[in-house]
Amino acid sequence: PALFQMSGSQPQMGRGVPCLRCRGLCTGFEPHSWRKICKSCKCSQEEHSLSSELEDDRKIGRLLSDSKYATLTARLKGGDGVRIYKRNRMIVTNPNISGKDPTFDTITYEWAPPGLAQKLAMQYMELIPKELQPVAGTDGAFHRRRRLTRQLPLYDQDPAQCRGLAEGEQKLMEEFVKKYKAEALGVGEVALPGQGGGGKEEEKPQDKSVDPGRAPESPNGALESAPAAGHYRCETCKQPVPGDCPVVYADRAGYSRQWHPACFVCCRCAEPLVDLIYFWKSGAAWCGRHYCESLRPRCAGCDEIIFSEDYQQVEGLAWHKKHFACLECETLLMGKPFTLANANLLCTTCSQSR
């Protein structure tokens, strides 16, 4: 069966961690005072090192607490009331009979859909591109955590992590977060077609008949009789969904809609939604980053949501006025000549010296 266990922490990001992109040219991460980049090489924090697994689980725990998905979190012992994400890790052990003496191969998935029989969870994993399957120690696990950092920045939910808030704006942000938790935040559910929400349809007596030799029924009715193939279609690709293949449901979308596992992506960036965490708006699923940006501008300098009505705009990009500054020398550029390259501002002097 699938194992449910908490993850341990890994080395934390900090000074001395070399940049992945610069390949040795940057000796270590030097945090900028307000930009989310390294002062030395100008690459993002995530290019140097990801946060620890424990920090990630704390971040998702904070996001899901005070929402209807709080059951996916647990209170930490001695953690001052902090809730942590009960991330479902799945450990699969397969016999290896290729050698003389049989051995066992163990595969650990750093995340798997919770509440499923392992067979259905494995079916779900097989429907995701191999390079995205979050198997521990592989690129798939690394990409999952990169998406988590990108899609769910901590400073989109915690005012204490923000450097761009002016006096009086913390309350605005708290209301913003409270509203999206109540109205948009969701976590996808995996089930067979027609079985979303624990089988919302009226159950028939024959649906409950299970062969004695079969595994017990999973919490969302994975082994109940499946509808005929072609009866359901994926919301994204519009192709038929086979009745014996798991799909993703989003309760905020209603249980008449379903997605192929590989098709449950953000409507803006088309990236797979990390751990099936979505934000529902205008009949579509969004990642957290792009949902927040659809409601408020995001500062191209500090990457935080702007809550002031007085900000600077250039070519569709926005900045806090105090962050409208040269990337190199930090000179404020309000009312001064500048160049804009790859969303970065440069004063005329720094632009010419590049």
Side-chain angles (χ1 to χ4, degrees), residues 58-232:
R58 281 175 177 267
K59 178 171 77 171
I60 301 182
R62 181 188 175 98
L63 177 67
L64 300 181
S65 63
D66 304 320
S67 79
K68 63 179 181 175
Y69 304 96
T71 53
L72 294 173
T73 69
R75 200 174 298 283
L76 267 182
K77 286 184 180 177
D80 300 326
V82 173
R83 298 192 74 87
I84 191 167
Y85 180 39
K86 292 191 296 188
R87 177 163 51 90
N88 177 38
R89 300 179 84 192
M90 181 170 68
I91 299 175
V92 181
T93 303
N94 295 314
N96 181 356
I97 53 174
S98 57
K100 191 188 299 181
D101 299 316
T103 57
F104 293 91
D105 291 332
T106 299
I107 301 170
T108 300
Y109 291 87
E110 291 198 350
W111 172 86
L116 301 184
Q118 191 178 84
K119 181 182 176 184
L120 193 62
M122 283 302 300
Q123 269 186 285
Y124 168 88
M125 287 299 175
E126 286 161 8
L127 292 170
I128 291 173
K130 192 165 183 62
E131 65 272 15
L132 296 180
Q133 293 174 14
V135 174
T138 68
D139 285 347
F142 179 73
H143 288 313
R144 171 193 165 265
R145 297 183 61 208
R146 285 289 292 272
R147 287 201 308 277
L148 196 158
T149 303
R150 177 79 180 155
Q151 293 180 15
L152 303 171
L154 186 54
Y155 43 86
D156 277 10
Q157 56 164 307
D158 184 359
Q161 301 294 323
C162 296
R163 300 290 172 265
L165 291 177
E167 192 177 344
E169 290 176 2
Q170 178 164 335
K171 188 72 176 169
L172 288 174
M173 181 171 181
E174 286 171 355
E175 289 300 318
F176 178 81
V177 173
K178 186 177 177 182
K179 192 170 177 3
Y180 75 52
K181 284 190 179 189
E183 298 178 3
L185 174 65
V187 181
E189 171 193 333
V190 176
L192 289 178
Q195 302 300 333
K200 292 291 184 189
E201 292 86 4
E202 189 175 327
E203 293 178 355
K204 303 179 182 67
Q206 61 266 33
D207 286 341
K208 289 293 180 184
S209 61
V210 177
D211 293 338
R214 294 175 72 182
E217 188 176 322
S218 78
N220 49 10
L223 296 179
E224 292 183 7
S225 56
H231 184 68
Y232 299 97

Side-chain angles (χ1 to χ4, degrees), residues 9-28:
S9 66
Q10 291 189 347
Q12 296 198 17
M13 174 178 62
R15 289 179 183 275
V17 179
C19 179
L20 300 175
R21 179 178 286 178
C22 295
R23 298 186 182 280
L25 296 177
C26 173
T27 54

Side-chain angles (χ1 to χ4, degrees), residues 198-261:
K200 292 291 184 189
E201 292 86 4
E202 189 175 327
E203 293 178 355
K204 303 179 182 67
Q206 61 266 33
D207 286 341
K208 289 293 180 184
S209 61
V210 177
D211 293 338
R214 294 175 72 182
E217 188 176 322
S218 78
N220 49 10
L223 296 179
E224 292 183 7
S225 56
H231 184 68
Y232 299 97
R233 288 186 181 272
C234 171
E235 280 293 306
T236 298
C237 70
K238 308 304 180 188
Q239 294 301 307
V241 174
D244 58 352
C245 285
V247 292
V248 178
Y249 287 94
D251 62 339
R252 292 194 185 274
Y255 286 95
S256 61
R257 303 183 185 195
Q258 58 276 307
W259 288 260
H260 290 116

